Amino acid sequence: MKDMEVKNLINLEEISHKTSLNLIASENYPSKDVLNACGSVFSTKYAEGYPGARYYEGCEISDDIENLAIERAKKLFGCDHVNVQVHSGTQANQAVFLSVMKPEDNILSMKLDQGGHLSHGSKVNFSGKIYECNFYGVDRESELIDFDQVRKLALEKRPKIIICGASAYARIIDFEKFSNIANEVGAYLLSDIAHISGLVAANVHPSPVPYSDFVTTTTHKTLRGPRGAMIMCKKEFSKIIDKSVFPGMQGGPFMNMVAAKAVAYNEALNDEFKSYAKQVVNNAKKLSSVISSNGFRIVSGGTDNHQFTIDLSRNNLTGDEIASLLRKNGIIANKNGIPYDNLPPKITSGIRIGTPALTSRGMNEDQMDILGNLIVGIINNRNDNNMLNKLSNDVKALASGFKLPGVD
Ligand SMILES: *Cc1c(COP(=O)(O)O)cnc(C)c1O
């Protein structure tokens, strides 16, 4: 690369990943093949429209690559129809809303501060500005989705769409239960599996496809593809979904990203991906149990998927201070609210921990054991600089033993 300023920053970013341990639950390391497709000649191409019906000339090969991505996605998730052009998870949800709702129609979704997502009706997001939104949450005791509340609100508010799926929820989501409630009140069911789609693809989490009118997901989280998203839907919604993506909401598709999605879907069809997905969950279970056996409470008591949240309130600590302490010592995780948090979103009482990125680097339960003790050690020795020095060297040593897929 000739641009030394940018090249230098890319190198620094690479070194920062190599020498630290990434526990951001929404991040992952895609393969070199995925990255190569992102940087390929397809980034040149304008291909507004869909295969066989484009508004530009010279799209025959773009048709082939998009058809290939579609075919592989259908095989992977067993869906009737899929749109692989949508640029991001937020836009995928937007396209679904556009397809069946009018402004001021009603959405029922999970509260943002109990695990939901901005694009599910938050006041600061387009979804909360355009549509009327009501929210369900988790039970105070079990910290599991409160289905009595979901049903009660559904009967009371008669939403046009019920959304299930979350950004910070560590337990299995019962899509069938959501579907029964949606059917009872005549609502569409949108399952947003942005976080867990890799686990769903590998059968490590039940699939929402048989129960949902629409399924949206990002492609870059547990699914380990390029940055982007996709929308699956029942056959009857195929046309309105495609129309609402283009021309409804987007211009030309990013054909390079469509190519990279095709690569990622194919990778996810392999047995190697299935063992990766199992390992992601085993790693999260192991890491949460090491941390909880050292005096920290885990929200809902543990995890069934790739992530969990540590409740620091009983230790008189905040998410903000511990995320920054861990960062200084080479462990990257984000502060996160816990259900019924007493602290504001900029501070929070929790730390969200996810294992996809480290699992993609090849780590297993043995490393999770070491890592759990490092996390606990760093928190408990936060006022002892000598100990912190030693511990952050241990973090670097652990990180340097594992390559970054797609980079090394
Ligand atoms: C990450 C996420 C999204 C949004 O993805 P972007 O690509 O960042 O817009 C949507 N829904 C859920 C549940 C998510 O976790």
Side-chain angles (χ1 to χ4, degrees):
M1 188 184 277
K2 281 199 202 120
D3 184 333
M4 290 314 288
E5 261 179 293
V6 171
K7 185 175 180 187
N8 185 36
L9 291 172
I10 293 175
N11 284 344
L12 286 175
E13 183 69 14
E14 229 176 88
I15 291 165
S16 147
H17 282 275
K18 281 182 182 162
T19 54
S20 63
L21 296 171
N22 181 359
L23 289 167
I24 305 282
S26 50
E27 292 186 9
N28 212 334
Y29 296 113
S31 69
K32 190 79 192 164
D33 284 1
V34 166
L35 294 180
N36 281 342
C38 293
S40 70
V41 68
F42 275 115
S43 78
T44 313
K45 205 50 211 136
Y46 245 104
E48 282 179 358
Y50 288 96
R54 305 284 189 184
Y55 292 83
Y56 286 75
E57 292 308 317
C59 292
E60 294 77 11
I61 309 171
S62 291
D63 285 2
D64 290 347
I65 198 81
E66 186 166 348
N67 281 328
L68 187 62
I70 290 169
E71 224 173 82
R72 290 174 171 181
K74 281 184 172 173
K75 193 165 163 200
L76 188 60
F77 289 102
C79 53
D80 293 351
H81 179 78
V82 60
N83 183 299
V84 296
Q85 292 190 3
V86 66
H87 299 328
S88 76
T90 296
Q91 285 187 307
N93 290 334
Q94 189 175 5
V96 172
F97 302 158
L98 254 180
S99 73
V100 290
M101 291 206 294
K102 290 197 238 13
E104 284 162 38
D105 274 352
N106 193 337
I107 295 174
L108 176 61
S109 67
M110 191 170 189
K111 280 193 187 95
L112 179 62
D113 60 8
Q114 295 195 5
H117 188 261
L118 278 169
S119 62
H120 296 180
S122 161
K123 278 262 172 293
V124 297
N125 183 263
F126 78 92
S127 50
K129 294 184 200 287
I130 297 180
Y131 307 107
E132 196 196 308
C133 300
N134 295 287
F135 302 97
Y136 60 86
V138 297
D139 178 77
R140 221 174 240 281
E141 282 303 306
S142 65
E143 295 171 307
L144 302 179
I145 291 168
D146 182 349
F147 277 100
D148 293 338
Q149 188 191 31
V150 178
R151 182 163 178 271
K152 189 167 160 274
L153 284 169
L155 287 165
E156 201 178 295
K157 308 287 182 185
R158 297 279 158 176
K160 193 90 186 244
I161 290 191
I162 297 178
I163 309 178
C164 62
S167 295
Y169 189 69
R171 297 303 185 176
I172 299 290
I173 296 176
D174 190 336
F175 298 113
E176 190 176 3
K177 261 193 191 160
F178 272 107
S179 146
N180 290 340
I181 295 172
N183 287 339
E184 190 179 350
V185 301
Y188 296 111
L189 181 62
L190 161 58
S191 301
D192 177 351
I193 55 168
H195 262 265
I196 56 170
S197 54
L199 309 182
V200 169
N203 285 322
V204 177
H205 188 291
S207 171
V209 169
Y211 302 108
S212 313
D213 298 296
F214 309 96
V215 177
T216 54
T217 180
T218 56
T219 44
H220 50 272
K221 297 182 184 174
T222 52
L223 191 54
R224 208 162 67 178
R227 223 155 172 118
M230 63 200 279
I231 305 171
M232 296 167 259
C233 64
K234 287 190 180 151
K235 210 180 192 98
E236 61 197 279
F237 304 113
S238 312
K239 282 222 170 75
I240 56 169
I241 280 297
D242 284 347
K243 268 194 189 158
S244 94
V245 173
F246 173 85
M249 205 184 60
Q250 292 183 179
F254 301 163
M255 291 314 297
N256 55 328
M257 295 318 220
V258 171
K261 286 172 198 175
V263 173
Y265 300 146
N266 198 44
E267 287 176 358
L269 285 161
N270 290 339
D271 286 344
E272 189 276 329
F273 187 88
K274 292 195 170 55
S275 23
Y276 142 82
K278 275 195 200 108
Q279 193 62 51
V280 165
V281 177
N282 290 341
N283 282 352
K285 283 183 191 290
K286 177 71 184 180
L287 189 55
S288 70
S289 84
V290 173
I291 293 171
S292 75
S293 65
N294 278 284
F296 292 88
R297 195 184 82 85
I298 308 293
V299 172
S300 87
T303 179
D304 301 323
N305 62 21
H306 63 296
Q307 63 164 292
F308 58 92
T309 304
I310 310 173
D311 171 7
L312 297 161
S313 63
R314 296 188 180 181
N315 313 73
N316 284 321
L317 298 167
T318 69
D320 189 44
E321 68 178 304
I322 296 306
S324 136
L325 171 77
L326 291 173
R327 173 69 188 109
K328 286 185 193 125
N329 293 284
I331 294 174
I332 324 292
N334 60 287
K335 64 184 164 200
N336 212 97
I338 58 167
Y340 306 98
D341 206 324
N342 287 321
L343 298 176
K346 285 202 169 131
I347 302 183
T348 78
S349 301
I351 292 280
R352 186 180 66 160
I353 303 264
T355 52
L358 292 187
T359 308
S360 292
R361 285 180 79 168
M363 294 193 187
N364 62 26
E365 287 96 331
D366 294 342
Q367 286 78 42
M368 293 304 113
D369 197 12
I370 300 170
L371 175 56
N373 285 300
L374 285 170
I375 291 172
V376 169
I378 290 169
I379 298 177
N380 290 342
N381 291 289
R382 62 193 174 279
N383 298 318
D384 181 341
N385 282 334
N386 283 339
M387 273 306 283
L388 287 181
N389 256 339
K390 185 194 164 300
L391 289 164
S392 63
N393 282 332
D394 292 350
V395 168
K396 277 202 196 97
L398 178 58
S400 64
F402 291 84
K403 291 187 169 184
L404 277 193
V407 172
D408 289 297

